[in-house]
Amino acid sequence: MEIAIPPDLVFVILAAVTLIAAVLALQAKELIYGAIALGISFIGIAGFFVFLDAPYLAMLQIAVYVGAVVVLILFTIMLVRREQSDELLDRPEGGQGAVGLWLAGLLAVAIAGVAALAGPNLPAAPPAGNLPVSSLGLVLAAEYPIPLVILALLISAALLGALVLAKVEK
Amino acid sequence: MVSLTSYLIVSAALLGIGIYGLSVKRNAIRILFAIEIIVNAANLNFAAFTRYLDPPLVSGQVIVFYSIAAAAMEAAVGLALILIAFRLNSSIDVRKLNKLKG
Amino acid sequence: MALNPWLTVIIWAIVVIALTGPMLTLPMFWSRRKPDPFRDMPFESGQVPQGEARHRLVMQYYPYLLMFVAFDVVGMFLFAWGMSFTKIPLYASFPVLLFLFLLAAPLGYALHLALRRENW
Amino acid sequence: MVNLPATPADLIPFLFAVITSHTFIQIILFPGFIHVTLVTAFLTWYERKIIARIQLRIGPLYAGGPGGILQPIADGVKLIFKEVMIPYKADKPLFLAIPLALVVMAALPFAVIPFGQNWVIANLDVGLVFVFAMISLFPLMILIFAWASNSKYPFLGGLRSLFQQVAYEIPMWISALSIVMLAGSLSLVDIVNAQARIWFIIPAFLSFIVFFISVMAELERLPFDLPTAEPELVAGWFTESSGAIFMLQFLALYMKMYLMSSLVTVLFLGGWWGPAFLPQPVWFIIKTLIVATFIIIPRAVFARIRVDMLIRIGWTRLLIVALVNVFLTVLLITSGLTAILGM
């Protein structure tokens, strides 16, 4: 059975889900809903990774971001949450919202414009299947040993710091 | 096939959303959300460029790998900091965390 | 006949949602729904609930969550290395072993805290 | 290749071609939906029977068939017709959506579980990580559900469930790492194919033990069933669920049990391999049911342990053993013993 689903359609749906969820993450009244929307946005990005022939990255994205970081965020929200104060905290003061919107919109439009102008000169996609999953591990371990060790130091330092910060004081 | 430009536009839009959140929000957790969104926009760019080079280069995926790891640790430390700030100030409004101001 | 496996996964997800969704939505139509403050009360062994339900958080296990985030990342790195372990020369695996060795320090510290303090 | 129908007259041949296609049969019938729900329903009956036997009772008896085997269907029909109660001030959309999401999360990994050489819905090249990624979403869902029901028992149970699953996920991953190193692939089909000569339970026995204990804890089975401890927490995180919501959660939990049993079978017990007088999927399901039996039996035998002990065992004992096991596997492979064993 061969069903031709236009890749553009899937792409547009994915992009819409990702972007709307990202906006909701920042604008939802309840912080918990914001965190859930953030998780959905991360899953959308994972969908893009599948599209881009990087399934391992997609799984990493889901397991690390949605499975761990969003859980941590939700738990922290439940620790620091107070009824009704969240909404007041997030309302922009005065002209701040407009300025932020202008700044962000200008930046996004500028980058998107450059990308669109450069569009014809950008390379077209080579056929899929050139990036087998195992090559990722190969390159990771064989070609980038120093970043790996630096990353170990980074994780150690961050974990130690976070543990010391979160230590229950008596 | 979807062109590289569309990925770049999606990524630029995500970046814009993130910058908006960073510049407007006062709740520390929302600011963390905005940072994560920006990191994801960058990751998307790396993955897209990796895929569209001819022949494809795996190094871009490795960079995304490191970036995800670093962002996860950043979130862990950031949330621990927010927790401490809440315990000391009983608020996570970043504009009230100005005790060090001279 | 080979469909892209990811497309098959998506079809499978849609099938699951389409076939289990009715189990949740259909009972809404035929089940009797009469709002009653006593029946809708949260279950507390017959007592009237008091106070906020969402505030009893155990702070004491928070460090374990932080460790989880760190070791999630480490686990994914180890999988990427493990699937190509037999394909790369042995000396290329030494950085990964060093990586594990370096992570032993925060793990040891965390477990030291966990074992010494009775609270987490 | 099936052409989309152009005229109404083409519709019937088109539908026929779709229904008889291999992908459709796989998704709906055999490794797919009907098989998964049937075996899951069977598992609920099977568990009640086994526990009853151990405790010198009889168990389900009256619901038709031999030994009351239609009991799950009776339960399902009863639950569907019950009223769905939503507690006061609960978060309604989340309260209704999470049970469905739980079922989808439990069912999605079945797409990559190979029930036979050709009986797999989608042979992803990152299959194992896909399963783990989907399983890692469970604590999140349970936390959100516990928060949404706005009641104290579900919230406490949900938090316990979160910490327990978080504590045992990492040992589970790292013990599965040695299998990945031995097989040299993340695809579950490749992993089973690598066990044609010798099952991985022999070279990786230590990781089998760690993995099995972690699976017990992930499934919240008894010595580790703190999140649903009846004496203290009524029914844990699903105290407030009723009717169809409860049915979906129950379905998701037992589906997850079937999933984890089949994962143990794939990783350690040689998957579909067995003497040729039975077809491959039959061997697979027999092995899976044996694993499920060993997951069920402790419920009738052991007592529960304390929550801090539980979490501490996960992080101190199992994680250390799993990490040591990685080094042992490195030694095993580099010393050439695996070549002698014929792998």
Side-chain angles (χ1 to χ4, degrees):
Chain A
M1 184 173 67
E2 192 82 32
I3 301 173
I5 293 179
D8 291 348
L9 181 68
V10 183
F11 182 88
V12 167
I13 294 174
L14 263 181
V17 167
T18 311
L19 292 179
I20 292 173
V23 171
L24 275 183
L26 295 174
Q27 294 300 103
K29 279 212 176 101
E30 181 81 63
L31 257 181
I32 304 259
Y33 276 99
I36 295 169
L38 189 72
I40 294 171
S41 171
F42 287 162
I43 292 178
I45 299 275
F48 280 127
F49 285 160
V50 170
F51 239 66
L52 288 167
D53 221 4
Y56 194 86
L57 284 188
M59 294 305 116
L60 176 77
Q61 172 97 4
I62 291 181
V64 171
Y65 267 129
V66 188
V69 172
V70 172
V71 171
L72 190 64
I73 287 176
L74 269 177
F75 193 79
T76 315
I77 289 173
M78 290 175 189
L79 274 174
V80 303
R81 204 179 91 96
R82 286 182 176 171
E83 298 294 324
Q84 292 139 10
S85 64
D86 296 330
E87 189 201 339
L88 289 177
L89 209 62
D90 272 336
R91 196 172 292 155
E93 297 164 342
Q96 217 174 31
V99 172
L101 207 57
W102 265 108
L103 180 70
L106 206 64
L107 192 65
V109 167
I111 294 175
V114 169
L117 282 182
N121 303 327
L122 290 176
N130 286 333
L131 292 169
V133 175
S134 56
S135 65
L136 180 62
L138 226 71
V139 171
L140 190 70
E143 288 181 28
Y144 294 94
I146 307 292
L148 198 62
V149 175
I150 293 175
L151 186 84
L153 290 176
L154 174 80
I155 292 179
S156 308
L159 184 55
L160 282 177
L163 283 175
V164 169
L165 281 178
K167 209 160 64 173
V168 182
E169 271 145 47
K170 285 202 170 168
Chain B
M1 195 61 206
V2 186
S3 67
L4 179 53
T5 316
S6 16
Y7 286 103
L8 297 185
I9 289 174
V10 170
S11 152
L14 272 180
L15 177 72
I17 294 169
I19 296 280
Y20 170 75
L22 264 188
S23 54
V24 165
K25 296 294 171 189
R26 297 166 55 194
N27 188 330
I29 292 181
R30 297 259 192 212
I31 291 175
L32 195 78
F33 287 4
I35 294 172
E36 297 293 332
I37 289 172
I38 292 174
V39 171
N40 270 286
N43 287 352
L44 185 59
N45 258 0
F46 274 120
F49 275 116
T50 297
R51 173 69 180 78
Y52 279 78
L53 282 181
D54 197 13
L57 198 65
V58 193
S59 312
Q61 293 192 12
V62 175
I63 292 176
V64 180
F65 220 114
Y66 285 119
S67 155
I68 289 178
M73 292 324 291
E74 168 250 310
V77 176
L79 287 169
L81 279 174
I82 290 173
L83 206 57
I84 286 283
F86 180 75
R87 216 186 285 148
L88 295 181
N89 277 1
S90 62
S91 161
I92 49 171
D93 186 347
V94 283
R95 277 165 225 194
K96 288 190 188 149
L97 302 177
N98 53 6
K99 291 233 173 94
L100 284 181
K101 207 190 265 177
Chain C
M1 288 301 166
L3 226 54
N4 183 354
W6 287 99
L7 189 57
T8 329
V9 171
I10 292 172
I11 297 175
W12 166 236
I14 292 171
V15 165
V16 171
I17 293 173
L19 292 181
T20 48
M23 289 193 214
L24 185 66
T25 47
L26 286 184
M28 300 281 170
F29 290 113
W30 62 58
S31 73
R32 198 170 54 111
R33 178 105 187 97
K34 235 179 6 179
D36 181 338
F38 287 103
R39 286 195 314 161
D40 288 348
M41 197 185 277
F43 179 84
E44 278 188 25
S45 314
Q47 305 279 321
V48 177
Q50 290 203 332
E52 178 75 22
R54 292 162 178 166
H55 262 249
R56 317 259 322 254
L57 265 182
V58 252
M59 171 66 198
Q60 52 177 343
Y61 298 123
Y62 195 75
Y64 285 122
L65 268 185
L66 296 174
M67 276 169 72
F68 172 65
V69 174
F71 280 90
D72 223 44
V73 173
V74 174
M76 288 312 258
F77 265 87
L78 289 181
F79 269 103
W81 160 72
M83 69 184 162
S84 54
F85 174 69
T86 48
K87 300 182 191 82
I88 54 177
L90 189 61
Y91 66 84
S93 288
F94 285 136
V96 179
L97 297 181
L98 182 62
F99 174 78
L100 271 181
F101 182 72
L102 283 175
L103 278 167
L107 180 65
Y109 175 68
L111 295 184
H112 166 71
L113 277 184
L115 291 177
R116 201 195 50 183
R117 294 165 155 264
E118 277 306 308
N119 51 2
W120 69 278
Chain D
M1 182 77 193
V2 180
N3 292 315
L4 287 176
T7 62
D10 292 341
L11 200 61
I12 291 166
F14 171 72
L15 285 179
F16 184 75
V18 166
I19 286 174
T20 51
S21 69
H22 192 59
T23 315
F24 187 82
I25 289 175
Q26 284 199 331
I27 285 181
I28 299 294
L29 274 182
F30 176 51
F33 191 78
I34 291 178
H35 152 250
V36 169
T37 40
L38 276 186
V39 177
T40 307
F42 172 76
L43 272 180
T44 64
W45 173 82
Y46 184 63
E47 166 165 14
R48 292 170 72 175
K49 269 302 196 198
I50 286 189
I51 304 276
R53 288 293 166 201
I54 293 174
Q55 295 169 342
L56 299 178
R57 294 183 288 115
I58 296 178
L61 193 58
Y62 295 110
I69 199 167
L70 294 182
Q71 186 68 41
I73 296 176
D75 287 344
V77 170
K78 180 192 78 172
L79 286 173
I80 277 188
F81 282 96
K82 275 188 140 184
E83 176 182 352
V84 176
M85 303 224 295
I86 297 168
Y88 175 64
K89 269 177 114 177
D91 197 320
K92 201 175 167 189
L94 290 181
F95 192 78
L96 291 176
I98 294 294
L100 190 59
L102 277 176
V103 174
V104 176
M105 285 309 141
L108 262 184
F110 279 105
V112 296
I113 300 277
F115 287 83
Q117 190 89 54
N118 295 316
W119 290 109
V120 52
I121 293 177
N123 180 14
L124 296 185
D125 44 6
V126 288
L128 185 61
V129 185
F130 180 75
V131 177
F132 283 157
M134 290 303 139
I135 291 171
S136 74
L137 296 184
F138 265 81
L140 176 65
M141 300 284 171
I142 290 173
L143 181 65
I144 296 173
F145 184 82
W147 182 83
S149 43
N150 190 27
S151 172
K152 285 169 198 154
Y153 288 120
F155 198 47
L156 284 177
L159 288 177
R160 281 189 179 187
S161 172
L162 169 76
F163 283 113
Q164 173 170 336
Q165 299 200 15
V166 155
Y168 283 85
E169 210 160 271
I170 303 298
M172 186 170 85
W173 287 24
I174 294 185
S175 60
L177 176 66
S178 59
I179 301 300
V180 173
M181 285 161 69
L182 286 170
S185 170
L186 285 176
S187 155
L188 293 180
V189 175
D190 289 352
I191 288 177
V192 177
N193 271 325
Q195 302 179 62
R197 300 279 300 279
I198 184 166
W199 294 358
F200 280 157
I201 187 174
I202 293 166
F205 189 69
L206 200 56
S207 59
F208 172 72
I209 293 175
V210 174
F211 194 84
F212 194 78
I213 295 174
S214 310
V215 161
M216 297 276 290
E218 280 272 320
L219 291 172
E220 298 165 7
R221 305 300 303 181
L222 231 150
F224 306 109
D225 75 331
L226 288 154
T228 53
E230 288 97 355
E232 322 147 37
L233 291 181
V234 191
W237 56 275
F238 43 82
T239 304
E240 294 294 345
S241 1
S242 59
I245 289 180
F246 177 73
M247 186 180 68
L248 287 187
Q249 288 172 348
F250 205 65
L251 186 69
L253 285 184
Y254 277 85
M255 229 180 230
K256 195 179 167 195
M257 183 168 135
Y258 184 35
L259 171 73
M260 298 306 250
S261 317
S262 50
L263 196 60
V264 171
T265 309
V266 165
L267 292 182
F268 296 98
L269 299 179
W272 63 73
W273 293 110
F277 59 86
L278 282 179
Q280 288 173 345
V282 177
W283 278 117
F284 190 93
I285 291 175
I286 288 175
K287 287 177 190 173
T288 306
L289 286 183
I290 291 173
V291 174
T293 313
F294 279 100
I295 291 177
I296 288 170
I297 285 178
R299 177 170 161 191
V301 181
F302 288 127
R304 189 174 295 132
I305 59 176
R306 233 170 49 221
V307 63
D308 56 333
M309 285 162 67
L310 174 81
I311 296 172
R312 202 170 290 168
I313 288 173
W315 281 111
T316 56
R317 307 284 192 284
L318 285 183
L319 183 59
I320 304 287
V321 172
L323 284 175
V324 168
N325 185 46
V326 170
F327 285 99
L328 288 183
T329 313
V330 169
L331 285 183
L332 184 73
I333 294 176
T334 50
S335 68
L337 266 180
T338 50
I340 296 171
L341 287 171
M343 284 165 18

